[in-house]
Amino acid sequence: MSVFSSRPLSEIPAGAAAGVIMPHESAWDHVTGKALYTDDLPPRSAHVLYAWPATVDAAHARIDSLDTTRAETMPGVVRVLTAADVPGVNDYGDIGDETLFPDTVQYYGQHVAWVLADSLEEARLAAEAIEISATELPSIVTTQEAIAAGAFQGPQATLQRGDADAALASAPHRLSGELDIQGQEHFYLETQASFATIDEGGQVFVQSSTQAPSHTQEVVARVLGVPSHRVTVQCLRMGGGFGGKETNANGFAAVAALGAVLTGRPVALRLNRTQDLTLTGKRGGFHATWEAGFDDEGHILAYKAVLTADGGFSIDLSPAVVSRALCHVDNAYYLPNVHVLGRIARTNKTSHTAFRGFGAPSGMVVTEDILGQAATMLGIDQEEIRRRNFYAPGQTTPYEQVVSQAERMNDIWAKLKESSRYGDRQREIAEFNAGHEHVKRALAITPVKFGVSFNKPFFNQAGALVLVYKDGSVLINHGGTEMGQGLHQKMLAVAATALGLPLDRVRLAPTRTDKVPNSSATSASTGSDLNGGAVKNACELILDRLAPVAAGLLGVHPNDVRISAGVVSGLGAATTLTWEELVDAAYFQRVSLSATGYYRTEGLYFDQSTYKGNAFKYFARGAAVAEVEVDGYTGAYTTRRVDLLHDVGSSLSPLIDLGQVEGAFVQGAGWLTQEDLRWDTSDGPTRGKLLTQSASTYKLPSFSELPQLFNVDLYVHPTDDGSIYGSKAVGEPPLMLAIAVREALRAAAAAFGEPGRPVELASPATAEAVFWAVEQARRSTPTPVLTAG
């Protein structure tokens, strides 16, 4: 082992590219329109066919007949794909519950056939001409309907420690409640898209907007009935994913690939916005019932809850979502006695799927809701009750993992309170509220502790392929996908740091399954950790081969060779070499200049049957202070100021991480305050239809909803061991910082009533929901008696 491969994973060499403030590697291409996405590729090919779905307008129905005769004779139509055309398995899920061409419709607007035509308009007209006869069946639309009917699917899970029932019975203070937490639409800028071609040898090449190219490859091969080596999947980049392209992309890629195989022509499939909203899964909603017990000082003594996730019509990733929810109900707090049941409801909706944070945000919202109400009931400041319940060093989670770096939460908390002037502003707000009867302000501070790793240990592995060419230039391939989050930029920084080169000597290739096989999805905030470890490993394997070559040229021992900024030196050597000279010499000495790297996260184990184990490699932390102002007449509100402090360890790319924190917070605030998914729950003909099918009916955060003052800072700590160059995940954890906005809104609504009266607030906390919370607060206030003067 040389000096290169013996470096600890977190050690940052001098002159490293990691940590340098640089823009996104494709930023210029993004803003100029030069960057290519999947749907930019079909116009560059000839004889392309375009796909359009034939759908059924029923939440649950049995297909009695499907007549494609008329559609097949219409202008431009080349083929209509149905279940009879599938040579392999007619399913794009992993357990056989997601039929590609179904004979029973499971949600309103589900596709049952696809038309391939010379133009999109011709395909659309032909799809409308397909004659479908169906018998409508009973449907379940809401989570509450599923609970009442006992309609559950998949495994149930239980998180347990201590005796929650006994602790609850003996607690001096008890409270209970229930909460409906709505889902969220991904609303990525680029909708689902695939482009499939086939060559003369029968090799299928699929360009897909997917977060999981290897999984997409596996599903396409399964549908086609061919081995995986006959299918190659490439992802150039995505215009956003947020989890919506982790599994949802697979079925659309399979349709495009099937069409290409059957027709011999390229097939393009891109959903328009309405189709994407109708046909794809979302962040599933949760229904929670809970009970909690506290002592006089506000310490949590007992915690009981039932979390029911809306899984939609199939399992998809819902078990992992529920697992995340259970493993994050503790958030930053020690729960001595806890019993939480997690289960998945089966409803006639699209199959809900991954979304930034998985189930962790929903689990945390329940706990923050409990603490917010307990603070009011006990007369303890909501900041203080949270701080009193923080994990202390050495304490363990309910799943028995030691909470590493527990002291950081107190440090972040104190630093943020100071930088945000928390105490002074609390007093200023109290004075404002005393002088304003119909407008109230409130301030809230909430923490985040987020575990980083896949809950299933086998996903925590990654590969990379690094190629050094004779001129010294370097090409990197890794298994992660770029969806705008800056993963590629970070991998360039890792490679340049590991090799001791300037960033401009390194280029990154698109993610392809024939370069890096068997990759895990880019999700769970593991992209940089896993792929960074693999890239570093590949680079160090090459350096280990180059070290003896350099040593011979410099007259030093191989362990004394150093490479920095492209200059090769040796301890005590009188001369130096350039990187290019070293590579050239190595080539003529027949030294291999390419390497396959591999990384696996060590120390992980988790027993799904007992919910015990070391589920995460480490914890990312942060805290948020939010100030809001609420109009008591309408419930309309303004987010006046937000201060964020988030732990990133030693950032691989500070500018990228800052953008991730900002974006995640805004997305979280949208979920908790304004993004309101609505389905038709009536018994009419459109029962089960998604009513929020466009940007005009689904309210996304815009500039007008951003905080008027938005302060974001990174808590940089250089001593993180066990992660690539000491960095920490930043994709998902900051989303939950937005819980502070929800807690501030509830406090503002409560300010319209008597002190000490808890107020319930719906999720999302739309202006309407805030208005009803204000009304609840007012109803709890005695009506003043008016007397004649």
Side-chain angles (χ1 to χ4, degrees):
M1 181 179 291
S2 80
V3 68
F4 298 106
S5 58
S6 63
R7 285 176 180 166
L9 187 66
S10 59
E11 180 183 314
I12 306 175
V20 174
I21 295 177
M22 293 284 290
H24 191 288
E25 46 90 24
S26 293
W28 182 252
D29 293 341
H30 289 162
V31 299
T32 60
K34 184 179 176 182
L36 293 178
Y37 294 83
T38 300
D39 197 48
D40 292 322
L41 303 175
R44 296 168 172 248
S45 299
H47 311 298
V48 175
L49 295 175
Y50 295 87
W52 191 277
T55 61
V56 176
D57 291 341
H60 192 199
R62 182 182 64 251
I63 305 300
D64 298 320
S65 64
L66 182 68
D67 189 350
T68 63
T69 305
R70 181 175 165 224
E72 290 169 344
T73 62
M74 293 183 69
V77 174
V78 173
R79 185 120 187 184
V80 179
L81 303 178
T82 66
D85 295 310
V86 178
V89 180
N90 183 25
D91 194 275
Y92 60 94
D94 289 330
I95 62 170
D97 64 344
E98 294 181 272
T99 310
L100 189 61
F101 297 94
D103 56 13
T104 300
V105 173
Q106 301 287 357
Y107 64 90
Y108 191 99
Q110 186 173 11
H111 54 82
V112 295
W114 288 82
V115 175
L116 306 180
D118 292 324
S119 72
L120 204 58
E121 180 63 9
E122 289 170 329
R124 183 186 69 82
L125 293 173
E128 292 179 353
I130 294 176
E131 298 177 6
I132 303 172
S133 175
T135 300
E136 195 159 352
L137 303 171
S139 60
I140 294 173
V141 177
T142 69
T143 310
Q144 289 86 342
E145 289 175 354
I147 293 172
F152 300 105
Q153 58 183 330
Q156 291 193 356
T158 303
L159 178 75
Q160 185 170 357
R161 174 167 64 186
D163 189 336
D165 286 320
L168 190 64
S170 62
H173 306 280
R174 296 184 295 275
L175 64 162
S176 61
E178 64 180 291
L179 180 64
D180 279 309
I181 305 168
Q182 292 299 318
Q184 186 177 20
E185 168 58 44
H186 300 90
F187 226 106
Y188 26 65
L189 290 178
E190 177 204 24
T191 57
Q192 299 282 349
S194 293
F195 180 53
T197 59
I198 187 167
D199 66 14
E200 75 283 356
Q203 182 72 20
V204 181
F205 183 47
V206 182
Q207 304 260 19
S208 176
S209 185
T210 174
Q211 293 177 233
S214 287
H215 194 202
T216 301
Q217 174 195 34
E218 179 184 341
V219 170
V220 169
R222 185 194 311 149
V223 170
L224 297 180
V226 300
S228 290
H229 70 241
R230 293 279 299 277
V231 178
T232 300
V233 174
Q234 174 172 287
C235 177
L236 289 174
R237 56 171 58 84
M238 286 167 278
F242 312 118
K245 295 173 181 175
E246 183 171 345
T247 58
N248 275 202
N250 298 341
F252 304 114
V255 169
L258 177 62
V261 167
L262 294 179
T263 65
R265 291 172 60 177
V267 173
L269 188 160
R270 180 193 56 86
L271 303 184
N272 63 31
R273 182 60 65 185
T274 299
Q275 289 171 332
D276 198 284
L277 290 170
T278 302
L279 300 178
T280 65
K282 310 173 191 321
R283 184 196 298 279
F286 269 79
H287 176 77
T289 58
W290 54 265
E291 299 175 86
F294 293 82
D295 65 16
D296 293 335
E297 287 73 41
H299 296 109
I300 303 170
L301 300 178
Y303 186 117
K304 284 193 68 177
V306 176
L307 305 183
T308 305
D310 183 351
F313 81 89
S314 71
I315 287 292
D316 195 69
L317 294 172
S318 290
V321 169
V322 169
S323 179
R324 279 276 171 174
L326 265 60
C327 288
H328 285 82
V329 292
D330 60 329
N331 194 8
Y333 313 112
Y334 178 67
L335 307 178
N337 299 283
V338 57
H339 185 282
V340 183
L341 172 67
R343 57 188 183 179
I344 306 164
R346 190 181 190 283
T347 60
N348 291 113
K349 296 177 183 171
T350 53
S351 185
H352 296 316
T353 189
F355 200 122
R356 200 173 194 171
F358 258 57
S362 300
M364 290 185 189
V365 165
V366 174
T367 303
E368 297 298 341
D369 192 67
I370 293 171
L371 283 169
Q373 295 200 40
T376 303
M377 180 184 72
L378 298 172
I380 302 172
D381 185 84
Q382 58 90 23
E383 177 276 329
E384 179 64 16
I385 198 171
R386 288 179 164 88
R387 187 194 62 78
R388 289 179 184 179
N389 283 287
F390 284 167
Y391 277 105
Q395 288 182 328
T396 61
T397 65
Y399 46 91
E400 296 184 350
Q401 178 168 348
V402 175
V403 180
S404 59
Q405 302 171 338
E407 69 283 351
R408 282 199 186 179
M409 193 68 255
N410 283 292
D411 191 34
I412 291 170
W413 199 253
K415 281 182 166 61
L416 183 62
K417 284 182 64 181
E418 180 180 2
S419 64
S420 66
R421 297 181 51 252
Y422 182 85
D424 292 340
R425 288 167 60 201
Q426 281 281 59
R427 290 185 286 273
E428 293 165 4
I429 287 171
E431 292 175 5
F432 176 90
N433 288 348
H436 293 78
E437 182 180 357
H438 302 296
V439 178
K440 302 294 183 183
R441 293 176 181 172
L443 193 64
I445 179 171
T446 58
V448 166
K449 175 186 68 65
F450 187 90
V452 178
S453 288
F454 286 101
N455 273 44
K456 292 186 177 179
F458 63 83
F459 282 133
N460 295 283
Q461 58 178 311
L465 174 63
V466 174
L467 312 174
V468 178
Y469 294 97
K470 287 191 292 182
D471 65 354
S473 60
V474 180
L475 181 66
I476 306 167
N477 300 266
H478 66 88
T481 55
E482 174 62 49
M483 62 193 90
Q485 85 280 37
L487 176 60
H488 283 352
Q489 177 65 39
K490 290 186 174 184
M491 294 305 96
L492 289 170
V494 168
T497 297
L499 293 172
L501 298 178
L503 272 170
D504 61 7
R505 299 300 286 141
V506 184
R507 190 177 77 82
L508 200 141
T511 308
R512 286 174 61 125
T513 57
D514 59 355
K515 299 296 187 293
V516 179
N518 308 319
S519 58
S520 296
T522 304
S523 63
S525 298
T526 62
S528 294
D529 290 349
L530 296 179
N531 295 290
V535 168
K536 182 174 183 286
N537 175 242
C539 291
E540 290 174 344
L541 290 173
I542 295 172
L543 291 177
D544 285 349
R545 300 173 198 154
L546 293 177
V549 179
L553 295 172
L554 296 172
V556 299
H557 190 277
N559 284 352
D560 292 334
V561 173
R562 301 291 185 271
I563 304 175
S564 180
V567 177
V568 184
S569 61
L571 298 180
T575 60
T576 61
L577 300 168
T578 65
W579 166 259
E580 290 76 13
E581 290 171 334
L582 173 58
V583 170
D584 185 68
Y587 172 76
F588 283 103
Q589 293 183 31
R590 294 186 296 180
V591 173
S592 174
L593 295 173
S594 66
T596 297
Y598 179 76
Y599 175 77
R600 53 177 283 175
T601 309
E602 299 293 346
L604 299 179
Y605 60 91
F606 191 71
D607 187 337
Q608 294 283 346
S609 63
T610 62
Y611 258 67
K612 304 295 182 185
N614 241 42
F616 306 111
K617 179 66 174 179
Y618 60 83
F619 297 100
R621 292 174 173 82
V625 171
E627 180 182 341
V628 299
E629 181 177 291
V630 170
D631 184 320
Y633 288 114
T634 64
Y637 53 83
T638 301
T639 304
R640 289 172 46 80
R641 175 175 168 176
V642 166
D643 296 81
L644 308 179
L645 183 59
H646 192 75
D647 179 14
V648 296
S650 294
S651 174
L652 291 174
S653 183
L655 197 59
I656 295 291
D657 284 352
L658 194 68
Q660 284 288 288
V661 174
E662 293 171 347
F665 172 84
V666 171
Q667 192 168 50
W671 166 55
L672 289 169
T673 65
Q674 62 187 85
E675 297 182 43
D676 195 6
L677 286 168
R678 296 289 181 97
W679 280 268
D680 186 344
T681 58
S682 72
D683 291 327
T686 59
R687 174 175 169 80
K689 180 180 181 180
L690 179 66
L691 302 177
T692 49
Q693 288 188 334
S694 67
S696 64
T697 53
Y698 186 75
K699 186 172 173 56
L700 293 165
S702 63
F703 285 113
S704 60
E705 283 85 35
L706 290 179
Q708 295 176 343
L709 184 59
F710 197 11
N711 299 317
V712 182
D713 202 5
L714 302 179
Y715 179 85
V716 178
H717 207 290
T719 58
D720 282 292
D721 296 327
S723 60
I724 182 70
Y725 294 133
S727 64
K728 279 192 172 184
V730 73
E732 294 174 298
L735 183 136
M736 285 137 281
L737 296 173
I739 297 174
V741 177
R742 181 180 188 274
E743 289 303 298
L745 286 171
R746 181 174 41 199
F752 285 90
E754 285 288 314
R757 304 287 179 89
V759 170
E760 296 178 356
L761 181 61
S763 180
T766 61
E768 179 184 11
V770 172
F771 171 79
W772 291 117
V774 169
E775 288 295 289
Q776 179 191 359
R778 283 173 170 158
R779 285 195 301 271
S780 68
T781 304
T783 303
V785 178
L786 299 180
T787 58

